[in-house]
Amino acid sequence: MCGIIGYLGKKNAADEVFCGLQRLEYRGYDSAGAAVLSADGKISVVKKQGRVDNLKPYLKDIAGATGIGHTRWATHGKPSDANAHPHVAGGIALVHNGIIENYAELKSALEACGETFLSETDSEVIAKLLSKNFKGDLICALAETVKVLKGSYALMAICEGNNSIAVAKYRSSVILGYGENEYFCASDEPALAGKCKEICVLDDGDIACITPDGIEIYNGNLQRIIREKKPNTGAEQSLDLGGYPHYMLKELHEIPVAVENTAKAFEGVSAKLKSALNGVDRIILVGCGTAYHAGLAGKRYFEQFARVPAECDTAGEFRYKNPVITERTAVFAVSQSGETADTVEAARLARGLGAKVIAVTNVLNSALTRIADVTVPVSAGPEICVAATKSYIGQITALYLCAVGFAKNGSNGNCAFADGLEAMPKLCKKTLAQVNTYSLANMCALSSGVYFLGRDIDYAVALEGSLKLKEVSYIHSEGYPAGELKHGTLALIDENAVAVALIFDETLAGKTVCAVEQVLSRGGKAAVITNVESVKKALSGRALVLETCACGKFLSPLVSAIAVQKLAYETAVILGRDPDKPRNLAKSVTVE
Ligand code: AGP
């Protein structure tokens, strides 16, 4: 799950590749590298451990108008200069996104033939194979090479003495870009936004050859095929921080607009969704990480508004549990990027088993949307921070609307709950301005562990609060159903632990307050984030009470999530972490 980019044209390829890598950096930032083909047909390579910016000083040393680049999220081999891409073998330089599952056996076979390796990566094996198969035609060598690869790959290669880029794709995405006398290839559409007039999405098994004369696309047998070109409408992603110190804070402030735009965009798809869900009697929601947590809220919406059985699984679990699916099942695949490997494969599996597949995603034209029957847009706008904030709230908004729409069409529906979304952008704005998480952030920063508690829909947000905090601050954290704490985890509570209870349902408030009391009586520190008046009265003076504005229970995740996201951000900043690029992570997880 790395980002790869290629450029062939008349400009300085190193600059174009660098610009693409900056846009792709959210896919990994363990190392970055570029290879450029000079006018006299020689390849020069620079690669450095760490972030894309580390490459900048070295790019002036590589001149040419054709190049490829890579930003890495390490899978095989630690982050290091040696493991950075491009990998070079013979006169060929290669970048790879994906995982080669049979690399160990391929490597052993190559070693038995006397090959030696400079890196611990699976990708260098592909470079060696390419070089071995090269008999003067890079595309033929690539077609030969991919025949023996098992796993996923998006590959770009350049070869000394040949002004072209060879591209191959299987289960990792590749987009081609057509400009004025210049061509691009990249891992995703946002990387090409504003760069070219038309784009084309490659399919699994496609091989492409980019030359100064244009782009030819072939199938695995090197027969020419046509792929549809479409206008490149992607809005150029601004890397401007807009005066904020971090993207995470900027994106938190974009939440009200994300809610508003997601609601507007839903109007455009509601009829199509209605017809797709006609006759559906079971809902399954799948996603990973934050998107899974949005699915947990969505499950409650479908159950409560439409009284339809709903389940929510992490996409990785769903894929391997032999799920029960009929043609009356609808699977909602939730993903900010639309590229998360497990979510995309879960959607593919569900579709294959006859389910209706609904993509809920922030990236139109992503792999997920190509599998889905219907795409429900999350119009949160580009999210650069690795930690999902506005996209999570956009996902919840979209799922809320889907469930309301489904309930209105069914006979058992109860839409009495489902009011008030119009007011939410304003309430989100108010929450951002008013909820004061700073004291709690200081408490968390000093703690040995933070336990987020909630019941029902508050529990779904508690899980997300915990993920967000651990992701950006590196403090141990867990999310628990408030009633479960006493069944084991209470043993971890001492004066260094902090419990954060989310209480947004008046009818359940008393029960969750009991859990807070259990923490306090064991010497733990406690805080509540709530809009329930009685909770304030019960706990003031003994627990830190963070008040938020009043709103209905089912829309409360939009408010409570802002509070926990802000808490995570402030804790990270207090601890001197970079919330935008947490260690070990990447935003788009395109490997399994
Ligand atoms: C959350 O902050 C993380 N970035 C992560 O859990 C993320 O939500 C997950 O990897 C799924 O990504 P997706 O929404 O792009 O599919």
Side-chain angles (χ1 to χ4, degrees):
M1 173 193 94
C2 308
I4 60 175
I5 177 94
Y7 173 81
L8 187 150
K10 300 206 180 306
K11 296 181 189 147
N12 181 344
D15 290 345
E16 293 300 315
V17 165
F18 181 73
C19 168
L21 291 181
Q22 283 184 310
R23 290 157 173 235
L24 290 166
E25 194 172 18
Y26 71 87
R27 299 172 75 102
Y29 33 84
D30 287 330
S31 63
V36 166
L37 191 70
S38 64
D40 60 358
K42 294 274 174 283
I43 289 177
S44 349
V45 176
V46 287
K47 45 189 197 172
K48 291 283 156 212
Q49 183 180 342
R51 297 187 178 178
V52 168
D53 272 346
N54 292 355
L55 269 189
K56 184 113 199 181
Y58 304 93
L59 293 176
K60 59 179 177 352
D61 304 332
I62 56 171
T66 299
I68 53 175
H70 186 276
T71 180
R72 177 169 188 245
W73 182 77
T75 58
H76 296 62
K78 59 184 182 300
S80 69
D81 287 358
N83 288 333
H85 299 217
H87 293 287
V88 179
I92 294 171
L94 169 108
V95 291
H96 168 220
N97 169 33
I99 286 187
I100 302 306
E101 288 162 11
N102 60 337
Y103 90 100
E105 67 189 76
L106 294 170
K107 189 170 179 174
S108 303
L110 286 162
E111 280 169 336
C113 298
E115 293 288 350
T116 53
F117 288 81
L118 299 172
S119 79
E120 304 149 289
T121 65
D122 52 341
S123 313
E124 194 183 2
V125 170
I126 314 173
K128 293 280 186 197
L129 285 170
L130 251 183
S131 154
K132 222 172 153 46
N133 289 326
F134 183 70
K135 308 275 181 289
D137 185 329
L138 188 58
I139 286 295
C140 290
L142 187 59
E144 216 39 47
T145 300
V146 296
K147 280 184 190 154
V148 301
L149 303 181
K150 288 194 185 127
S152 59
Y153 52 81
L155 302 171
M156 294 171 193
I158 55 174
C159 168
E160 284 195 345
N162 181 339
N163 190 15
S164 67
I165 304 176
V167 182
K169 175 225 147 50
Y170 186 75
R171 295 275 158 103
S172 292
S173 58
V174 179
I175 314 291
L176 303 175
Y178 300 76
E180 292 279 346
N181 297 319
E182 60 180 1
Y183 303 96
F184 298 83
C185 41
S187 294
D188 61 28
E189 219 176 311
L192 298 186
K195 282 279 165 193
C196 50
K197 285 188 178 150
E198 289 183 310
I199 55 167
C200 157
V201 180
L202 288 187
D203 259 0
D204 281 344
D206 287 359
I207 290 175
C209 181
I210 306 176
T211 69
D213 299 328
I215 304 181
E216 294 291 354
I217 305 174
Y218 305 93
N219 65 16
N221 298 322
L222 291 186
Q223 288 158 328
R224 218 168 266 179
I225 50 174
I226 306 286
R227 293 272 171 241
E228 190 197 347
K229 284 190 210 166
K230 51 186 184 169
N232 184 13
T233 51
E236 200 160 342
Q237 179 172 304
S238 165
L239 295 177
D240 181 14
L241 275 162
Y244 291 96
H246 298 102
Y247 291 112
M248 184 170 180
L249 189 60
K250 177 176 183 251
E251 287 160 8
L252 269 162
H253 283 271
E254 288 166 352
I255 286 171
V257 177
V259 173
E260 205 170 330
N261 287 349
T262 301
K264 265 189 215 146
F266 185 78
E267 288 168 19
V269 294
S270 64
K272 202 168 170 204
L273 183 68
K274 178 179 168 188
S275 110
L277 296 184
N278 192 23
V280 160
D281 63 6
R282 198 162 138 254
I283 304 286
I284 300 177
L285 301 107
V286 295
C288 297
T290 293
Y292 163 66
H293 294 157
L296 289 173
K299 164 185 153 68
R300 281 156 177 85
Y301 294 151
F302 277 103
E303 285 173 344
Q304 297 309 315
F305 302 164
R307 305 307 294 165
V308 60
E311 298 155 43
C312 181
D313 263 323
T314 61
E317 283 300 304
F318 173 83
R319 289 178 66 190
Y320 302 112
K321 70 172 204 183
N322 191 10
V324 179
I325 301 247
T326 71
E327 69 283 0
R328 290 166 75 92
T329 307
V331 172
F332 283 72
V334 186
S335 171
Q336 186 284 130
S337 61
E339 298 290 346
T340 299
D342 277 327
T343 310
V344 170
E345 293 312 317
R348 205 189 304 278
L349 171 74
R351 180 103 203 230
L353 292 171
K356 283 278 173 332
V357 174
I358 318 299
V360 179
T361 181
N362 198 28
V363 183
L364 302 180
N365 295 316
S366 54
L368 194 58
T369 64
R370 296 195 288 278
I371 293 167
D373 295 280
V374 180
T375 295
V376 175
V378 171
S379 298
E383 192 176 61
I384 297 172
C385 176
V386 165
T389 52
K390 59 177 181 169
S391 65
Y392 169 67
I393 292 183
Q395 286 162 355
I396 292 180
T397 305
L399 290 171
Y400 174 91
L401 290 165
C402 292
V404 171
F406 187 69
K408 283 187 176 156
N409 296 330
S411 50
N412 299 330
N414 182 355
C415 291
F417 302 115
D419 277 330
L421 185 63
E422 320 74 56
M424 289 318 288
K426 248 193 199 149
L427 286 186
C428 291
K429 207 167 179 180
K430 201 166 156 197
T431 307
L432 276 161
Q434 286 180 354
V435 70
N436 186 349
T437 48
Y438 194 69
S439 304
L440 180 54
N442 274 299
M443 212 157 137
C444 292
L446 293 172
S447 74
S448 58
V450 180
Y451 301 88
F452 286 83
L453 308 174
R455 285 178 194 271
D456 192 36
I457 203 147
D458 289 336
Y459 167 53
V461 183
L463 287 172
E464 177 57 12
S466 164
L467 176 65
K468 207 86 322 173
L469 184 77
K470 73 179 89 158
E471 182 180 16
V472 297
S473 74
Y474 317 153
I475 294 170
H476 175 72
S477 177
E478 293 177 37
Y480 261 92
E484 277 292 299
L485 190 71
K486 57 187 175 292
H487 295 289
T489 305
L490 202 54
L492 295 176
I493 299 296
D494 61 14
E495 65 282 3
N496 299 315
V498 174
V500 179
L502 306 181
I503 308 180
F504 286 80
D505 182 345
E506 203 156 6
T507 60
L508 300 174
K511 300 278 181 207
T512 307
V513 167
C514 282
V516 175
E517 296 286 6
Q518 289 155 18
V519 170
L520 290 171
S521 60
R522 267 88 188 164
K525 298 183 181 69
V528 281
I529 302 176
T530 186
N531 61 6
V532 177
E533 197 54 35
S534 61
V535 173
K536 197 175 141 193
K537 282 199 192 117
L539 292 170
S540 277
R542 296 185 301 127
L544 196 58
V545 179
L546 276 60
E547 277 184 86
T548 69
C549 37
C551 64
K553 155 181 165 173
F554 288 105
L555 283 166
S556 69
L558 276 60
V559 166
S560 56
I562 290 175
V564 295
Q565 290 172 350
K566 204 171 161 191
L567 171 65
Y569 172 74
E570 284 174 350
T571 311
V573 172
I574 289 166
L575 290 169
R577 317 288 192 220
D578 177 353
D580 291 337
K581 291 193 176 73
R583 68 183 181 201
N584 304 338
L585 301 182
K587 190 156 186 71
S588 186
V589 186
T590 58
V591 294
E592 297 170 48

